[in-house]
Amino acid sequence: MFFETRDGTKLAYEDYGQGEPILFVHGAMLSTDMWEYQFPYFVEHGYRVIGMDRRGHGRSDRPSTGYDIQTGADDLADLIEHLDLRNLTVITHSMGGHEAVSYLARHGDSRIARLALVSALLPFMKQTDDNPHGIPEPIIAATLAQVQRERPRWLAGQAQVFFATHLGNDVSPALVESVIAQCLTPSPWAVLHSQRAVLNTDLRQEVAAVTVPTLIVHGDADFSAPIDVTGRRTAELLPKADYKEYPGAGHGVYITHQEQLNADLLAFIQS
């Protein structure tokens, strides 16, 4: 299924089940397919489950513009209004957290009941004078250069730390290959500009202004979103949030710790 955003971009979405709605927002380079181990679980527990492919990703259009965080937030708003979603739980992964928090800042929380931030890159990744524990600019630039030079090689090199298999997380080679294949589907243009946006966008004020009930889930071995820069810092900005650290979990916690994550998300929604 498709809908059209305010700038005429056609975005793909999926909609399953009936009941209270849950909107899943996927991470960078991935698509709605990443939630393979979440969608059936929540439909079977009586929820309506929706996922949208970000522009440039999955089955959505590949325009040349709109890869900033604010446009991503507006795309979410257009889907929410298109489906007239209310009392909505928003569950995000990685870059999806930026878009959801930006949505709340730009469009308010009248339709949002609660927010879950899984392995989010929030609140601000880049090192600055007032963010000394962030990632130094030369490292960010080098990473983007590696992705641009040879994305398949970079992804293959990230596989172990993405799942933290060196810490005993059991992920088959076939599954690793599947995730890499997903990450190769977005347009190179979308990947480059989305990565630039998420690594350089400061949402500290927006995170601190979130008032809806929030769950933060982060692996303490997350290499893509180092926990001291992201999860723990976000928890400091949202002291009333429910904060859970998963020992030995990497960025791909939605796969390696799927049973624990699903149970924690369900308990959060039902609380």
Side-chain angles (χ1 to χ4, degrees):
M1 295 179 286
F2 296 85
F3 75 101
E4 192 169 297
T5 68
R6 62 194 67 191
D7 69 355
T9 301
K10 290 183 179 179
L11 301 183
Y13 71 96
E14 302 179 23
D15 190 345
Y16 304 100
Q18 297 179 345
E20 186 176 318
I22 304 173
L23 174 61
F24 285 83
V25 187
H26 67 79
M29 294 196 206
L30 292 160
S31 71
T32 297
D33 291 343
M34 72 164 282
W35 301 112
E36 177 177 359
Y37 306 107
Q38 282 71 47
F39 276 19
Y41 178 88
F42 285 96
V43 170
E44 290 165 2
H45 280 81
Y47 292 90
R48 178 184 177 189
V49 173
I50 304 116
M52 181 189 80
D53 286 347
R54 180 183 294 112
R55 61 175 61 207
H57 293 66
R59 293 155 287 270
S60 291
D61 279 356
R62 297 180 164 201
S64 61
T65 59
Y67 297 105
D68 56 284
I69 300 302
Q70 293 75 22
T71 301
D74 290 346
D75 288 346
L76 289 180
D78 289 345
L79 174 67
I80 290 169
E81 292 174 10
H82 173 72
L83 297 176
D84 193 24
L85 300 175
R86 301 177 186 276
N87 195 34
L88 178 65
T89 297
V90 181
I91 298 175
T92 73
H93 177 260
S94 192
M95 179 180 173
H98 271 62
E99 292 168 334
V101 167
S102 184
Y103 168 91
L104 290 170
R106 293 170 67 81
H107 301 279
D109 61 9
S110 63
R111 292 175 178 263
I112 310 301
R114 60 192 68 83
L115 171 67
L117 303 169
V118 180
S119 306
L121 297 168
L122 295 163
F124 185 30
M125 288 286 285
K126 186 169 69 174
Q127 184 183 75
T128 58
D129 290 343
D130 66 346
N131 193 42
H133 300 297
I135 309 300
E137 177 70 32
I139 294 178
I140 290 176
T143 299
L144 292 174
Q146 291 171 21
V147 174
Q148 191 173 12
R149 182 180 304 115
E150 191 177 344
R151 187 174 14 155
R153 181 177 182 177
W154 182 82
L155 288 168
Q158 294 292 307
Q160 179 184 21
V161 291
F162 185 85
F163 296 111
T165 54
H166 58 294
L167 298 178
N169 295 314
D170 183 18
V171 181
S172 71
L175 197 151
V176 172
E177 291 177 6
S178 173
V179 173
I180 291 175
Q182 286 183 37
C183 291
L184 289 172
T185 59
S187 75
W189 183 266
V191 168
L192 178 61
H193 289 273
S194 296
Q195 290 287 319
R196 285 176 178 170
V198 76
L199 292 172
N200 287 283
T201 300
D202 182 356
L203 289 181
R204 287 174 289 182
Q205 291 185 358
E206 289 82 353
V207 168
V210 171
T211 58
V212 299
T214 303
L215 170 66
I216 303 166
V217 176
H218 219 95
D220 68 2
D222 193 327
F223 180 82
S224 302
I227 193 168
D228 287 328
V229 179
T230 57
R232 290 172 182 165
R233 180 61 178 140
T234 298
E236 291 174 0
L237 293 173
L238 289 173
K240 294 183 179 180
D242 187 0
Y243 178 60
K244 295 184 181 295
E245 284 190 12
Y246 287 6
H251 204 54
V253 64
Y254 64 97
I255 289 176
T256 58
H257 292 66
Q258 57 187 268
E259 292 88 358
Q260 181 181 358
L261 177 63
N262 291 350
D264 284 340
L265 290 170
L266 181 63
F268 170 64
I269 293 171
Q270 294 179 341
S271 64

